[in-house]
Amino acid sequence: MNTSQHATAWAAAAGVVAVGTGLALGELAAGLVSPSLSPITAVGGAVIDVVPPGVKDWAVALFGTADKVALLGGMGLVIAALAALSGVVELRRRFAGVAIIGVFGVAGLAAVLGRSELTPNAVPVPLLAAVVGMILLRWLIRRLEEWQAGAGLQAAGPGAEAGALERTAQEGSAPEDTAHAGSAPKTPAPSRRRFFQVLGGTAAVAALAGVLAATFRGAAAVVSELRSKLALPAPASPAPLIPAGAEVRLDGVGPLVTPNKDFYRIDTALRVPVLDPGQWTLKVTGLVEREVSLDFATLLAKPLVERHVTIACVSNEVGGDLIGNARWLGWPVRELLALAGPTAGADMVLSRSSDGWTAGTPLEVLTDTRDALLAVGMNGEPLPLEHGFPARLVVPGLYGYVSATKWVTELKVTRFADDAGYWTPRGWSERGPIKTSSRIDVPRDGRSVPAGTVAFGGVAWAQHTGIGRVELRVNRGAWQQAELAPGISKDTWYQWRLALPLTPGQYEVQVRATDLNGVPQVEDRAPVAPSGATGFHTVRVDVKS
């Protein structure tokens, strides 16, 4: 094999290692933040979706239950071939191979965006894999080019070496891996050794990331399969029907019930916990007359309640989207606590996640008549892994940091004087009631709209109190009452709309909500810390003639 053939072979190897490392790190990242969906599973799913039924039948007949393994193996061969091609092309034309990886990164992103399991955390993963592959490919090919350049100088003899030295001296720098003036010419060994070191080191990183990714993804795949086969029981108390007209159906205003894939996710889990429902237990401990242990099968056998509940993060800025409304299925927490029998003096329940995170919830909130649930279902399906599968807490009226524990494994009945949840010692308020607020969803801030009748719309919430009125004012003028759609319940947000006649010009529009007790939301601006943001959401609209 001549020098050119050697270079081509090593360039192909560099491509395989670069792309392999990017993919391994991408799968590892997906295992940490998006166990339900990764670039490889997304592409594989997309392939399955577009393959004709006859081909699927042939694959099942040929491979049996190993058809998915065969698909992944075939994908691996195709990816390896394209990776090798990218390395060869990159050696011959700078950035051409990098472009190939970029194209397939975009294809991976498109596959991820097209899956029903999509969550916001899954979106950047294929881009991360592609960027890592592109950077590594350019780096490895550059090391290979240095080796080949050194080998070419040695083959050309001392004259070429001296000429290279003279040219480099004129350029003001010393050539890498060539002799200093007056010394014997160096061999290309240092450049060759460096190439093999970086190639081997990168391959080792890929192997380690692959092992970790396989571990995480394997566990997630098992639990995802269990979740997909789980049939939730019918609720003993179904959710009340959504009132007619509760959804204003105005372009720009989101759905009344937030789809699972669009529901916000805020937590401290570096890796999404993956819990086998067959091994899951919840313990009620602390200041109780008797400790209680509950497994998943027993939980599903309880008389479950289904309710729409809007939950929000305390970090939600005025006008923000860290809020969502879903139909939850679960067992009332008050019934579970009644089995344990909290003792006199207890005033808090410290809920603990499988990853150690804790939330301190007022005991009275978990034992009154509100629909505080130990939830197992979300919008008609088992909880997504990212949202707490197999069980989590949903508590109307409280910010999530003091109530919405996902992957919950323990409820400790205690006192605020003795215990604190994760965020309270970090400067956040102790009890976290959600503040009445409202948001303008359309028109968006800074948008231009045609003159005439301009439709405004959005949402307002005062969980466990309910919204009584929503009003808008233009350029700090008089408040004008909006059309308030009927809410599903006092524990959900309400949609609203108002059509305003506007002539060409610049307008500042603000919204405020008033709860069913007649208390308006707070106008004074306050940051999210320590107890939630306040202030009127304001948009500026440019009305064009």
Side-chain angles (χ1 to χ4, degrees), residues 55-341:
V55 175
K56 295 178 184 177
D57 295 340
W58 170 83
V60 172
L62 182 62
F63 298 106
T65 57
D67 59 332
K68 302 296 189 299
V69 176
L71 171 62
L72 292 175
M75 287 174 55
L77 291 175
V78 172
I79 291 171
L82 292 172
L85 175 64
S86 70
V88 173
V89 171
E90 183 68 18
L91 180 65
R92 296 177 180 176
R93 186 183 181 90
R94 184 174 296 184
F95 300 123
V98 166
I100 291 176
I101 297 176
V103 168
F104 283 94
V106 172
L109 175 61
V112 166
L113 292 175
R115 306 312 297 170
S116 61
E117 311 97 315
L118 176 68
T119 65
N121 283 356
V123 174
V125 174
L127 300 179
L128 168 67
V131 169
V132 169
M134 294 160 71
I135 292 173
L136 288 177
L137 179 63
R138 181 86 286 272
W139 184 48
L140 290 170
I141 293 300
R142 185 165 184 174
R143 299 287 82 79
L144 178 60
E145 290 170 340
E146 290 174 354
W147 170 23
Q148 296 304 307
L153 286 175
Q154 185 186 41
E161 188 102 4
L165 280 168
E166 182 177 351
R167 287 192 300 274
T168 306
Q170 292 172 352
E171 293 169 1
S173 61
E176 188 175 10
D177 298 326
T178 58
H180 292 288
S183 64
K186 290 184 179 179
T187 68
S191 292
R192 180 175 64 240
R193 185 165 54 249
R194 184 178 297 110
F195 172 72
F196 286 127
Q197 286 173 342
V198 296
L199 185 68
T202 305
V205 170
L208 176 60
V211 169
L212 293 174
T215 301
F216 294 150
R217 300 295 308 167
V222 170
V223 173
S224 292
E225 182 73 10
L226 292 172
R227 176 187 173 274
S228 68
K229 294 179 178 179
L230 177 64
L232 294 175
S237 175
L241 294 176
I242 296 177
E247 195 158 14
V248 299
R249 302 189 183 280
L250 180 65
D251 285 345
V253 177
L256 184 64
V257 178
T258 311
N260 291 354
K261 67 183 181 66
D262 297 329
F263 209 94
Y264 80 94
R265 178 196 161 199
I266 298 291
D267 53 58
T268 62
L270 180 62
R271 178 173 75 89
V272 172
V274 178
L275 306 181
D276 182 342
Q279 303 297 320
W280 175 86
T281 58
L282 173 67
K283 297 183 183 298
V284 182
T285 64
L287 301 178
V288 293
E289 295 175 357
R290 66 197 70 84
E291 293 194 352
V292 174
S293 182
L294 182 72
D295 61 31
F296 195 62
T298 303
L299 173 57
L300 293 185
K302 297 294 184 181
L304 302 183
V305 169
E306 186 180 55
R307 295 289 185 268
H308 288 92
V309 177
T310 298
I311 61 175
C313 180
V314 71
S315 297
N316 197 35
E317 298 280 358
V318 172
D321 59 1
L322 299 182
I323 183 171
N325 182 47
R327 177 165 50 92
W328 306 94
L329 175 69
W331 190 35
V333 180
R334 62 177 174 272
E335 296 185 20
L336 172 60
L337 292 175
L339 290 179

Side-chain angles (χ1 to χ4, degrees), residues 469-529:
R469 185 171 67 253
V470 173
E471 299 164 293
L472 268 67
R473 68 179 179 186
V474 179
N475 293 338
R476 307 294 174 111
W479 289 103
Q480 303 179 57
Q481 188 163 336
E483 174 192 345
L484 182 64
I488 301 175
S489 77
K490 63 182 181 181
D491 291 332
T492 67
W493 59 16
Y494 295 57
Q495 294 189 347
W496 59 267
R497 64 180 297 163
L498 179 63
L500 295 174
L502 298 179
T503 57
Q506 303 283 331
Y507 295 90
E508 176 194 83
V509 182
Q510 294 179 303
V511 62
R512 76 174 179 187
T514 301
D515 70 21
L516 283 171
N517 294 329
V519 180
Q521 73 178 85
V522 176
E523 179 176 4
D524 294 339
R525 300 284 295 194
V528 296

Side-chain angles (χ1 to χ4, degrees), residues 268 351-359 407 409 422:
T268 62
S351 54
R352 185 178 301 275
S353 169
S354 65
D355 67 350
W357 186 84
T358 56
W407 316 289
T409 58
Y422 180 89

